[in-house]
Amino acid sequence: MDLFSILKKSLLFSGVEDEYLRDVEKISVSREFSKGEALFSEGEAATGFYLLVKGSIKLCKVSPEGREKVLHFVRPGETFAEAAFFGDGKYPAEARGVEKGSVIFFPKEAFLGLLENNPKFSLNLVISLAQQLKGFARQIEDLSFAEVPNRLASYLIDLAGRNSKEFQGKVYLELDMKKGELASRLGTVSETLSRAFRKFKEDGIIEVEGSQVIILDLERLKVFAKGQG
């Protein structure tokens, strides 16, 4: 898929006329990244923002002791690091490749020039940020009030809605991150997450085969996701 088509499919540029989208294409920089590579670090000067084309990126905080807290996993088609336009001009977190892929980079100064000429960009940027804020608010609520099994159920339901297959009444899906990263994402530790997986298996709600999860009882899992299990 060519660069113009990729831009046209993204939420940030939805509804933007082709004439202006060509201007965006001119300032865009395509680049690849490898697994484990940092695109930028927390506190680094924010020189622009990104659109993930393929692969996987995690946004995380790293403590002085080296402990990592995953804030968000970026999906293909999503933009990230829009904080380049706000605040103190520094990236508030680290972006690191979970698996190799590619991104499109939009330089800050060049993109600001486009914002002045097309208010549609500004509106789309606000919508994109609002959606991200909604997601973070839901994550904070889960971490504050939900037990680990409820958090895990919510994650599995969300993942099933994005990428799963159904066969003979069962839902098949692949975890999109390692279990250690998932534990961090859910605000817990690996041992506690393993107990939550084991509880669902013993209750006949899921089966687990490596990175594949088979949902046997979707309705019961939805009950847990609502915090009622």
Side-chain angles (χ1 to χ4, degrees):
M1 188 181 297
D2 63 89
L3 179 57
F4 182 81
S5 298
I6 293 171
L7 294 174
K8 197 173 182 66
K9 287 179 176 294
S10 69
L11 171 65
L12 183 58
F13 302 112
S14 62
V16 175
E17 297 176 3
D18 288 359
E19 173 188 355
Y20 295 108
L21 207 53
R22 290 294 181 189
D23 291 334
V24 178
E25 184 181 19
K26 292 176 183 177
I27 69 164
S28 302
V29 180
S30 299
R31 60 159 294 190
E32 296 184 347
F33 60 87
S34 58
K35 180 179 179 179
E37 178 183 350
L39 275 70
F40 54 79
S41 300
E42 180 180 355
E44 184 179 320
T47 56
F49 72 105
Y50 298 81
L51 168 67
L52 181 62
V53 178
K54 63 180 179 179
S56 181
I57 291 284
K58 62 181 177 182
L59 304 179
C60 55
K61 292 269 193 178
V62 181
S63 72
E65 296 77 25
R67 294 179 58 190
E68 180 183 276
K69 170 60 182 175
V70 178
L71 303 176
H72 180 61
F73 283 88
V74 184
R75 306 168 190 166
E78 290 184 345
T79 52
F80 62 101
E82 294 94 334
F85 295 100
F86 308 99
D88 60 2
K90 296 180 180 179
Y91 291 120
E94 176 182 280
R96 186 172 295 275
V98 177
E99 58 184 50
K100 68 178 182 179
S102 60
V103 294
I104 297 173
F105 175 70
F106 306 99
K108 178 178 179 179
E109 296 304 322
F111 195 81
L112 283 174
L114 296 181
L115 288 177
E116 294 177 358
N117 296 324
N118 191 340
K120 180 69 175 179
F121 289 155
S122 302
L123 177 60
N124 285 9
L125 184 61
V126 170
I127 293 173
S128 177
L129 289 171
Q131 289 191 342
Q132 290 184 40
L133 181 60
K134 183 178 179 181
F136 281 125
R138 185 172 62 249
Q139 180 181 346
I140 291 171
E141 182 178 353
D142 288 343
L143 293 177
S144 299
F145 302 110
E147 299 295 332
V148 174
N150 305 112
R151 300 176 208 168
L152 175 58
S154 181
Y155 160 77
L156 292 174
I157 292 295
D158 177 68
L159 185 60
R162 290 187 277 117
N163 186 19
S164 65
K165 296 180 181 179
E166 290 191 40
F167 181 69
Q168 295 183 341
K170 300 178 181 179
V171 179
Y172 295 77
L173 56 89
E174 289 285 336
L175 298 179
D176 57 358
M177 63 190 83
K178 295 180 180 178
K179 289 182 180 177
E181 294 172 334
L182 177 56
S184 176
R185 168 67 176 78
L186 297 180
T188 187
V189 294
S190 297
E191 293 79 4
T192 304
L193 178 64
S194 294
R195 286 197 293 270
F197 269 112
R198 187 163 56 249
K199 172 179 172 57
F200 286 156
K201 289 174 63 178
E202 292 172 350
D203 290 349
I205 298 175
I206 66 170
E207 291 178 358
V208 181
E209 299 176 0
S211 62
Q212 183 183 65
V213 175
I214 305 170
I215 300 176
L216 306 175
D217 193 334
L218 184 60
E219 292 308 313
R220 285 188 67 193
L221 193 63
K222 287 180 178 179
V223 171
F224 271 95
K226 293 178 180 178
Q228 301 171 356

